[in-house]
Amino acid sequence: MFKIGTTNESNRVDWIEQTLKRIPAGLTILDAGAGESQFKKFCKHLNYIAQDFGKYEGVGDVGLQTGTWDNSKLDIVSDITSIPRPDATFDAIMCTEVFEHVPDPVAAFKELNRLLKPGGYLLVTAPFTSLTHFAPYHFASGFNRFFYEHHLKNFGYEILDLRMNGNYFEHLGQEIRRIKRMAKEYAGIKISFFDKILTHLLLLRLQHFSAKGDSSNEMLAHGIHVFAQKHN
């Protein structure tokens, strides 16, 4: 069975796990916008501290929601642009799938930079493009690589790894797989057998295109993963 459009999350999780291993053991890491701290399990070699604004509860009337959400395991509850810790507190900072939920992501970058020690590591992931989710806390559909290259340079970072997750065809495949749900929820239509056959054929062709056109990620991708180091 072809996998086109199904690997967004698994690719991201694998990259985060492998990248966290690059951070030397014993350092202190801040998980900024940690949510339910799903990546704490990859930080056993680090001193892990979770921060989040703690207001999302998993429910809402608009867009994609999780249904439930647990904020009980946070170490710091605060706005990401005003975290109550001294300058240069942390050796590393992780911020995954958060910037699209921040009204001013550049202000968030500035605050994370304040908290990170010289020589420290910054791990960031965010969508290239995304559907409305976690509303009303969804303020941007995503960010291009130039967003990171511009702002990280201005803040004095060296980008050690910038990884595109998926490509144009992979992202189309992901959204085509949502058609059944979207048609029912927003159009009140149950897709037909013909629709299922058409969807299957489209996904099959997209998988072929993806294998031949991975560079299409310059046009569109699921998201971007960045690992950077702050200059001394």
Side-chain angles (χ1 to χ4, degrees), residues 128-145:
F128 190 115
T129 186
S130 62
L131 300 182
T132 301
H133 62 287
F134 290 25
Y137 308 109
H138 186 241
F139 303 102
S141 61
F143 304 89
N144 201 301
R145 66 178 298 162

Side-chain angles (χ1 to χ4, degrees), residues 143-156:
F143 304 89
N144 201 301
R145 66 178 298 162
F146 308 113
F147 173 84
Y148 302 102
E149 292 172 346
H150 174 79
H151 291 295
L152 287 173
K153 179 181 178 181
N154 286 347
F155 284 122

Side-chain angles (χ1 to χ4, degrees), residues 2 195-207:
F2 43 90
D195 294 326
K196 292 178 181 179
I197 294 297
L198 180 59
T199 297
H200 181 89
L201 291 174
L202 283 171
L203 291 172
L204 189 62
R205 292 304 292 160
L206 285 172
Q207 177 147 307

Side-chain angles (χ1 to χ4, degrees), residues 45-113:
H45 63 303
L46 303 168
N47 177 26
Y48 175 90
I49 297 175
Q51 176 277 337
D52 200 278
F53 77 144
K55 294 182 179 179
Y56 181 66
E57 297 180 344
V59 295
D61 298 327
V62 177
L64 304 176
Q65 304 285 349
T66 61
T68 61
W69 199 256
D70 181 8
N71 291 308
S72 65
K73 299 177 182 179
L74 298 171
D75 300 300
I76 304 171
V77 178
S78 72
D79 191 285
I80 196 172
T81 62
S82 183
I83 299 173
R85 290 295 185 273
D87 294 357
T89 294
F90 300 102
D91 303 296
I93 295 177
M94 169 170 57
C95 188
T96 60
E97 308 301 290
V98 173
F99 282 161
E100 74 270 28
H101 302 294
V102 178
D104 188 345
V106 178
F109 250 136
K110 185 176 181 180
E111 178 69 350
L112 299 184
N113 180 64

